[in-house]
Amino acid sequence: MEALLASVSKLIDSRQYDEVGIALDEAELEDPSALSSEQWPHSLHLLAHVYAGRLEDARFVYKRTPEDRRQSSPELAAAFALLQRLWVKDYQHVWAALQFAWSAQVAPLAAALAERLRSRQLSLVGRAYSTIGVPKLAALLGCSEAEATQAASGEGWAVGQDGLVEVKPPAVGAATSSAAAEQALQRLASYVVHLEI
Protein backbone atom coordinates (compact mmCIF):
# COMPACT_ATOMS: atom_id res chain seq x y z
CA MET A 1 0.00 0.00 0.00
CA GLU A 2 2.89 2.35 0.77
CA ALA A 3 4.28 1.92 -2.77
CA LEU A 4 0.89 2.77 -4.24
CA LEU A 5 0.51 5.87 -2.06
CA ALA A 6 4.03 6.98 -3.00
CA SER A 7 3.31 6.61 -6.73
CA VAL A 8 0.02 8.49 -6.35
CA SER A 9 1.86 11.24 -4.45
CA LYS A 10 4.33 11.50 -7.33
CA LEU A 11 1.46 11.89 -9.79
CA ILE A 12 -0.08 14.61 -7.64
CA ASP A 13 3.24 16.42 -7.17
CA SER A 14 3.78 16.41 -10.95
CA ARG A 15 0.18 17.63 -11.46
CA GLN A 16 -0.78 14.54 -13.49
CA TYR A 17 -4.24 14.49 -11.94
CA ASP A 18 -5.84 12.70 -14.89
CA GLU A 19 -3.63 9.69 -14.15
CA VAL A 20 -4.44 9.37 -10.43
CA GLY A 21 -7.83 7.68 -10.89
CA ILE A 22 -6.41 5.26 -13.45
CA ALA A 23 -3.51 4.32 -11.14
CA LEU A 24 -5.89 3.72 -8.25
CA ASP A 25 -8.24 1.67 -10.45
CA GLU A 26 -5.34 -0.53 -11.55
CA ALA A 27 -4.21 -1.01 -7.95
CA GLU A 28 -7.76 -1.95 -7.00
CA LEU A 29 -7.89 -4.51 -9.81
CA GLU A 30 -4.63 -6.05 -8.61
CA ASP A 31 -5.90 -6.27 -5.03
CA PRO A 32 -9.70 -5.90 -4.70
CA SER A 33 -9.48 -6.09 -0.91
CA ALA A 34 -7.42 -2.88 -0.86
CA LEU A 35 -10.58 -0.79 -1.20
CA SER A 36 -11.72 -1.91 2.25
CA SER A 37 -8.41 -0.87 3.81
CA GLU A 38 -8.31 2.14 6.13
CA GLN A 39 -5.28 3.41 4.21
CA TRP A 40 -7.05 3.43 0.84
CA PRO A 41 -7.46 7.05 -0.41
CA HIS A 42 -11.21 6.84 -1.07
CA SER A 43 -11.78 10.59 -1.42
CA LEU A 44 -8.77 11.01 -3.67
CA HIS A 45 -9.92 8.10 -5.84
CA LEU A 46 -13.40 9.58 -6.25
CA LEU A 47 -12.18 13.15 -6.89
CA ALA A 48 -9.57 11.97 -9.38
CA HIS A 49 -12.34 10.55 -11.54
CA VAL A 50 -14.37 13.74 -11.12
CA TYR A 51 -11.33 15.78 -12.20
CA ALA A 52 -10.94 13.64 -15.31
CA GLY A 53 -14.62 14.06 -16.15
CA ARG A 54 -15.44 10.42 -15.50
CA LEU A 55 -18.43 10.97 -13.24
CA GLU A 56 -19.77 7.45 -13.77
CA ASP A 57 -16.47 5.96 -12.62
CA ALA A 58 -16.50 8.24 -9.57
CA ARG A 59 -20.03 7.10 -8.76
CA PHE A 60 -19.01 3.45 -8.98
CA VAL A 61 -15.97 4.07 -6.76
CA TYR A 62 -18.39 5.40 -4.15
CA LYS A 63 -20.70 2.42 -4.56
CA ARG A 64 -17.77 -0.02 -4.16
CA THR A 65 -16.59 1.73 -1.02
CA PRO A 66 -17.57 -0.22 2.11
CA GLU A 67 -20.53 1.25 3.99
CA ASP A 68 -18.56 1.75 7.20
CA ARG A 69 -16.00 3.92 5.33
CA ARG A 70 -18.81 5.95 3.75
CA GLN A 71 -20.30 6.60 7.19
CA SER A 72 -17.04 7.37 8.98
CA SER A 73 -15.31 9.68 6.50
CA PRO A 74 -16.52 13.29 6.34
CA GLU A 75 -14.08 13.92 3.49
CA LEU A 76 -15.57 11.09 1.44
CA ALA A 77 -19.06 12.46 2.18
CA ALA A 78 -17.92 15.89 0.94
CA ALA A 79 -16.43 14.36 -2.21
CA PHE A 80 -19.66 12.49 -2.84
CA ALA A 81 -21.71 15.67 -2.27
CA LEU A 82 -19.56 17.37 -4.90
CA LEU A 83 -20.12 14.47 -7.29
CA GLN A 84 -23.88 14.70 -6.72
CA ARG A 85 -23.89 18.45 -7.55
CA LEU A 86 -21.93 17.82 -10.75
CA TRP A 87 -24.08 14.81 -11.67
CA VAL A 88 -27.24 16.95 -11.73
CA LYS A 89 -25.34 19.91 -13.24
CA ASP A 90 -26.05 22.13 -10.24
CA TYR A 91 -22.98 24.26 -10.88
CA GLN A 92 -23.89 27.09 -8.54
CA HIS A 93 -23.80 24.73 -5.54
CA VAL A 94 -20.64 22.92 -6.62
CA TRP A 95 -18.58 25.72 -5.10
CA ALA A 96 -20.06 25.23 -1.64
CA ALA A 97 -19.17 21.53 -1.86
CA LEU A 98 -15.60 22.43 -2.84
CA GLN A 99 -15.17 24.61 0.28
CA PHE A 100 -14.60 21.53 2.46
CA ALA A 101 -11.36 21.47 4.48
CA TRP A 102 -9.66 18.77 2.40
CA SER A 103 -6.77 16.70 3.76
CA ALA A 104 -3.22 17.49 2.65
CA GLN A 105 -3.32 14.51 0.30
CA VAL A 106 -6.54 15.65 -1.46
CA ALA A 107 -6.17 19.46 -1.28
CA PRO A 108 -3.98 19.90 -4.42
CA LEU A 109 -6.41 17.83 -6.50
CA ALA A 110 -9.43 19.72 -5.11
CA ALA A 111 -7.76 23.05 -5.95
CA ALA A 112 -6.96 21.87 -9.48
CA LEU A 113 -10.54 20.62 -9.84
CA ALA A 114 -11.88 24.04 -8.79
CA GLU A 115 -9.59 25.72 -11.32
CA ARG A 116 -10.72 23.36 -14.09
CA LEU A 117 -14.41 23.78 -13.24
CA ARG A 118 -14.06 27.58 -13.12
CA SER A 119 -12.38 27.59 -16.53
CA ARG A 120 -15.09 25.34 -17.95
CA GLN A 121 -17.83 27.55 -16.48
CA LEU A 122 -16.22 30.65 -17.97
CA SER A 123 -16.14 28.95 -21.36
CA LEU A 124 -19.81 27.95 -21.05
CA VAL A 125 -20.78 31.50 -20.12
CA GLY A 126 -18.92 32.71 -23.21
CA ARG A 127 -20.99 30.43 -25.41
CA ALA A 128 -24.35 30.80 -23.66
CA TYR A 129 -24.67 34.48 -22.75
CA SER A 130 -24.46 37.76 -24.64
CA THR A 131 -24.80 39.74 -21.40
CA ILE A 132 -24.70 38.58 -17.81
CA GLY A 133 -24.83 40.37 -14.49
CA VAL A 134 -21.70 40.38 -12.36
CA PRO A 135 -23.52 38.73 -9.40
CA LYS A 136 -24.76 35.88 -11.64
CA LEU A 137 -21.29 35.44 -13.14
CA ALA A 138 -19.77 35.38 -9.65
CA ALA A 139 -22.28 32.70 -8.59
CA LEU A 140 -21.51 30.59 -11.67
CA LEU A 141 -17.77 30.91 -11.12
CA GLY A 142 -17.93 30.44 -7.36
CA CYS A 143 -16.01 33.60 -6.59
CA SER A 144 -16.49 37.16 -5.40
CA GLU A 145 -17.90 39.84 -7.67
CA ALA A 146 -14.47 41.50 -7.88
CA GLU A 147 -12.89 38.21 -9.00
CA ALA A 148 -15.72 37.66 -11.50
CA THR A 149 -15.14 41.14 -12.93
CA GLN A 150 -11.43 40.39 -13.18
CA ALA A 151 -12.14 37.05 -14.92
CA ALA A 152 -14.50 38.77 -17.36
CA SER A 153 -11.88 41.41 -18.15
CA GLY A 154 -9.33 38.64 -18.64
CA GLU A 155 -11.59 37.16 -21.32
CA GLY A 156 -11.78 40.53 -23.04
CA TRP A 157 -15.39 41.10 -22.04
CA ALA A 158 -16.60 44.63 -21.36
CA VAL A 159 -17.84 45.26 -17.83
CA GLY A 160 -20.30 48.15 -17.72
CA GLN A 161 -21.00 50.57 -14.87
CA ASP A 162 -24.50 49.05 -14.61
CA GLY A 163 -23.02 45.73 -13.48
CA LEU A 164 -23.61 43.96 -16.78
CA VAL A 165 -20.89 42.10 -18.61
CA GLU A 166 -20.96 42.20 -22.40
CA VAL A 167 -19.85 38.71 -23.35
CA LYS A 168 -17.99 38.26 -26.61
CA PRO A 169 -18.55 34.83 -28.10
CA PRO A 170 -15.39 32.77 -28.47
CA ALA A 171 -13.71 33.11 -31.83
CA VAL A 172 -13.96 30.00 -33.91
CA GLY A 173 -10.51 29.32 -35.27
CA ALA A 174 -9.80 27.72 -38.61
CA ALA A 175 -8.41 24.63 -36.87
CA THR A 176 -11.59 24.23 -34.85
CA SER A 177 -13.87 24.62 -37.86
CA SER A 178 -11.77 22.31 -40.04
CA ALA A 179 -11.70 19.71 -37.25
CA ALA A 180 -15.48 19.97 -36.94
CA ALA A 181 -15.86 19.66 -40.71
CA GLU A 182 -13.59 16.64 -40.72
CA GLN A 183 -15.61 15.05 -37.93
CA ALA A 184 -18.86 15.70 -39.80
CA LEU A 185 -17.38 14.18 -42.95
CA GLN A 186 -16.24 11.12 -40.98
CA ARG A 187 -19.75 10.65 -39.53
CA LEU A 188 -21.29 11.02 -42.99
CA ALA A 189 -18.87 8.45 -44.41
CA SER A 190 -19.72 5.98 -41.65
CA TYR A 191 -23.45 6.45 -42.37
CA VAL A 192 -22.90 5.80 -46.07
CA VAL A 193 -20.83 2.71 -45.35
CA HIS A 194 -23.52 1.50 -42.96
CA LEU A 195 -26.23 2.03 -45.61
CA GLU A 196 -24.24 0.18 -48.25
CA ILE A 197 -23.82 -2.87 -46.04
Side-chain angles (χ1 to χ4, degrees), residues 13-50:
D13 291 342
S14 62
R15 299 182 56 88
Q16 295 177 337
Y17 303 120
D18 287 319
E19 303 298 318
V20 172
I22 294 167
L24 289 169
D25 284 344
E26 288 173 0
E28 182 187 354
L29 286 173
E30 289 174 15
D31 182 14
S33 66
L35 197 61
S36 58
S37 167
E38 283 289 319
Q39 293 180 332
W40 186 263
H42 294 92
S43 307
L44 185 67
H45 195 176
L46 191 149
L47 285 179
H49 284 302
V50 170

Side-chain angles (χ1 to χ4, degrees), residues 131-193:
T131 59
I132 185 171
V134 172
K136 175 76 172 177
L137 181 61
L140 289 171
L141 298 179
C143 61
S144 69
E145 290 185 15
E147 292 169 323
T149 302
Q150 188 175 25
S153 297
E155 291 292 311
W157 302 342
V159 181
Q161 294 296 332
D162 56 357
L164 287 178
V165 178
E166 294 288 328
V167 179
K168 294 179 185 173
V172 179
T176 305
S177 62
S178 85
E182 188 176 322
Q183 241 180 0
L185 183 60
Q186 182 64 33
R187 282 195 313 263
L188 180 61
S190 68
Y191 290 140
V192 170
V193 169

Side-chain angles (χ1 to χ4, degrees), residues 88-112:
V88 297
K89 296 176 177 33
D90 181 9
Y91 297 114
Q92 287 185 335
H93 294 101
V94 162
W95 307 110
L98 273 167
Q99 294 304 316
F100 184 79
W102 303 102
S103 66
Q105 182 184 39
V106 177
L109 179 60

